Amino acid sequence: MFLTKVTIFILLLAGAQMTVSQVIYTGAQTSNVIAGDDTTYGQAKTKKDEFEAQLIDGNFGVIDFEDDSLSGTLSNGVDYLITGAGASIVGSPNAGTFPTSGSKFLFFETNGPDDTVTISFPNGAVEAFGFYATDIEVTTLTVHLTSGDTETFAISSPLTAFTNVESILFFGLIDAGDPITSIDFEFNSFFDFIGFDDIIIGTANDLCCPASSQGGRRLRYGGGGPLNSCPGVQC
């Protein structure tokens, strides 16, 4: 499926409310994308870099699917589990989906509306979550938080169905005020192919700007505070 323009709509659905501790990063590249060559990923790569700049270099974990596993423990100690009918790890591009690095990625084939893939963190909540998606159309992202609240985002891209031209999107969320326990991807399509790769997971210890002492709120680039362990990032 082809992303006909760069616009990516991120909607906070009714009943959810963003807090000042949350920051969203999202962007897409719609043409001249070469699988595995991130120099062609355009705004998707730009937003991924901005997201990663908020994490201490070398501390965060990445799920890249090169080990053929839907569960495991990341380099930062986070346990993860991916569940959902129709989700599998594949090693070759398929209908507009492709590995964004390496040779493997998570491939999901929807067989009806409301099909869901869930990523959960059995041994503790995380504060940063980001991913590359390929051939993504309309997806509802439900984030489950430590407080018991949920926040739901609608990720919508204007696509021309079944042209199978490679395009790529990055979405990242940092929430230091109310950490994330799991994420549901709900696909609003009767039949579609979607790819995910390079899923980035960060804990409180991985953030350049952890929650402040004021109500657990994270202040991004605010107030002229002291530099932390991330060069160029001011909290």
Side-chain angles (χ1 to χ4, degrees):
M1 294 183 180
F2 179 61
L3 203 55
T4 58
K5 54 184 178 181
V6 173
T7 306
I8 301 297
F9 301 100
I10 305 295
L11 301 177
L12 189 64
L13 298 186
Q17 191 171 35
M18 284 193 68
T19 70
V20 295
S21 66
Q22 294 177 335
V23 185
I24 292 175
Y25 302 82
T26 187
Q29 178 66 17
T30 66
S31 60
N32 302 315
V33 175
I34 300 173
D37 181 0
D38 65 4
T39 65
T40 69
Y41 294 173
Q43 278 297 303
K45 176 65 162 56
T46 297
K47 293 303 179 181
K48 177 176 180 284
D49 289 346
E50 291 177 5
F51 174 81
E52 288 187 342
Q54 300 303 307
L55 303 172
I56 299 171
D57 188 31
N59 277 33
F60 56 89
V62 179
I63 307 172
D64 61 13
F65 303 104
E66 296 302 307
D67 62 357
D68 288 308
S69 180
L70 295 175
S71 64
T73 302
L74 299 176
S75 59
N76 58 354
V78 173
D79 290 342
Y80 70 92
L81 175 65
I82 301 173
T83 56
S88 62
I89 297 171
V90 299
S92 59
N94 188 340
T97 65
F98 57 89
T100 56
S101 67
S103 61
K104 297 177 183 179
F105 65 103
L106 181 67
F107 176 78
F108 186 77
E109 179 179 348
T110 67
N111 294 306
D114 303 327
D115 275 3
T116 301
V117 169
T118 297
I119 302 178
S120 57
F121 310 105
N123 70 337
V126 303
E127 299 196 349
F129 175 79
F131 60 89
Y132 273 139
T134 54
D135 194 37
I136 193 167
E137 192 173 328
V138 179
T139 299
T140 300
L141 189 69
T142 300
V143 179
H144 299 266
L145 305 171
T146 302
S147 64
D149 292 338
T150 60
E151 293 182 349
T152 303
F153 303 88
I155 303 175
S156 179
S157 305
L159 296 173
T160 301
F162 306 119
T163 53
N164 297 331
V165 176
E166 293 176 343
S167 61
I168 185 168
L169 172 144
F170 179 80
F171 177 90
L173 171 67
I174 294 177
D175 191 337
D178 196 355
I180 301 163
T181 58
S182 64
I183 300 98
D184 296 331
F185 296 88
E186 184 176 290
F187 305 104
N188 311 100
S189 174
F190 280 93
F191 183 77
D192 199 5
F193 300 131
I194 300 168
F196 295 98
D197 204 359
D198 292 323
I199 300 173
I200 302 167
I201 308 296
T203 68
N205 292 331
D206 303 330
L207 293 179
C208 296
C209 301
S212 76
S213 60
Q214 298 181 357
R217 293 181 174 183
R218 176 176 176 274
L219 305 178
R220 179 174 179 261
Y221 296 126
L227 286 171
N228 53 67
S229 57
C230 299
V233 177
Q234 198 166 16
C235 304

